[in-house]
Each structure stands twice: as C-alpha cells, then as structure tokens.
Amino acid sequence: MRIALTGTPGTGKTTVAALLPYAVIDINGLVKAGLSLGRDESRDCLEADMNGLERRLRELDTDQIAVLEGHFSHHFAEWAIVLRLSPDQLRQRLEARGYRPEKVRENLEAEALDVILVEAVEHCPRVDEIDTTGKTASEVAAAIVRIVEGKAASPPGQVDWLEDFFDSG
Ligand code: ADP
Ligand code: MG
C-alpha cells in the first residue's frame, strides 16, 4: 500500500522518511534517475514523467506499506500525509539550503497558501496533516507511525499561516 509523504520543499520529508520503519520510495530520485521529460528551463528543474512514474510504482507495489517521499508524491497515492512548517521557519531552512530568493519566495507562498495540502485533498480520499513547527524529526516520525497504525488521525485544518500573519501584522 502506498502512502505519500508530501509537503512544501524544506518541511522535512526526506529527514523524517529516513526515520520511519517502512520502505521509502524517493520520487525525486526516480525522476533524476531518468523518469523525466527533460529540463523545465523556466522553473530550473526536471519535468517529471508522471505516467512513467506511475508505471514504475506499479512495478514496485507490494502488500507492504511503501512511503512515497516527495513534494508531488500525493499524485501517486490514495492517502497522503502532508507536513507543514511555519513560513518563518521554512524561510530559514530554504535560505540555509542556498535557494535563490525567487525560489524561497515561491515555496513560502505555496506553504502560506496551502498549495500542496489542497492538491492532496483534491487527489487523495484520505489526507492527514502534521504541523511540524517546533517538533523534532523523531517526534514527527512517531506521529506518522501512530497515524499509519490507525492510533491517531490528523485531518487537514491544523494550521492557518495566513491567520498567524494577519494577527501579527
Ligand atoms: P524536504 O525533504 O521536505 O525538502 P528535508 O528533510 O531535506 O526537507 O529538511 C530540510 C532541512 O530541515 C534539513 O536541513 C533538515 O535537517 C532540517 N529538518 C528537517 N526536519 C526537521 C525538524 N523536525 N526539526 C529541525 N530541522 C529539521
Ligand atoms: Mg527532500
């Protein structure tokens, strides 16, 4: 069974996935390894081969839980867990990564406007959302295990970054 671990770049997907007791499939890794349609020059990234990815994932499917990790993994699963992070902290992480200012801005806007969450809700019958702000990666991983094991549910609506922004502004 596929479970997507998704969220805006910098929210901690790769770090947290490495702590989970499940098989992890790195969607960006598959794209870099050849499941791409070439370079999208305007966005300075590889354009994913969505049909090729779906075919590859079918080949990899087993009865075991497989966590698909990546910021568009929710396109390939019926269940998505969306990591969220306050835009203030996300900015620090993306700047520390050396992202160009336009790319930092694009990702902060996406996080503030719930872009990935909305996509996940449109695509996946089940979506859980975790606010990782102030949590360690192990705490986030433990929260995911509880959700996957059916001991907790964490439906969308945990965060409202715009409300935080307007309250403080
Ligand atoms: P993503 O895969 O979602 O783009 P990463 O897992 O690469 O994000 O994490 C981005 C950065 O944030 C890394 O430097 C990572 O060490 C750090 N990080 C990830 N999760 C946490 C956390 N819960 N607390 C503090 N730092 C974290
Ligand atoms: Mg990552």
Side-chain angles (χ1 to χ4, degrees):
M1 179 187 46
R2 301 179 198 165
I3 301 176
L5 180 59
T6 188
T8 308
T11 49
K13 301 177 296 292
T14 304
T15 307
V16 168
L19 303 175
L20 293 173
Y22 311 117
V24 174
I25 298 173
D26 168 11
I27 299 289
N28 291 311
L30 293 178
V31 174
K32 283 188 198 137
L35 289 171
S36 87
L37 301 174
R39 215 159 173 84
D40 177 344
E41 295 298 341
S42 62
R43 300 194 60 246
D44 188 25
C45 60
L46 288 172
E47 192 184 338
D49 174 359
M50 300 299 276
N51 294 330
L53 281 165
E54 178 58 40
R55 276 195 299 274
R56 190 74 230 281
L57 290 170
R58 283 214 191 118
E59 288 163 14
L60 296 172
D61 270 340
T62 64
D63 293 340
Q64 309 288 321
I65 291 167
V67 171
L68 311 186
E69 186 258 304
H71 68 281
F72 56 93
S73 57
H74 48 280
H75 291 284
F76 306 105
E78 305 262 287
W79 181 1
I81 298 176
V82 184
L83 300 187
R84 308 300 305 271
L85 180 64
S86 94
D88 277 350
Q89 288 194 24
L90 186 61
R91 177 192 298 277
Q92 290 175 21
R93 287 199 199 163
L94 296 177
E95 286 176 351
R97 258 187 188 178
Y99 274 24
R100 286 178 290 109
E102 311 89 87
K103 210 166 166 191
V104 171
R105 193 192 154 92
E106 180 185 313
N107 284 302
L108 290 179
E109 281 179 3
E111 180 59 22
L113 297 174
D114 308 325
V115 168
I116 301 253
L117 179 74
V118 169
E119 282 179 15
V121 166
E122 281 172 358
H123 189 272
C124 303
R126 175 159 180 192
V127 176
D128 290 84
E129 176 184 45
I130 300 178
D131 180 5
T132 70
T133 313
K135 294 191 179 78
T136 64
S138 321
E139 285 170 338
V140 177
I144 291 172
V145 171
R146 281 194 298 277
I147 290 168
V148 171
E149 288 181 350
K151 294 181 182 142
S154 189
Q158 310 283 316
V159 306
D160 185 345
W161 305 138
L162 288 183
E163 184 178 88
D164 293 354
F165 175 77
F166 285 115
D167 281 355
S168 67

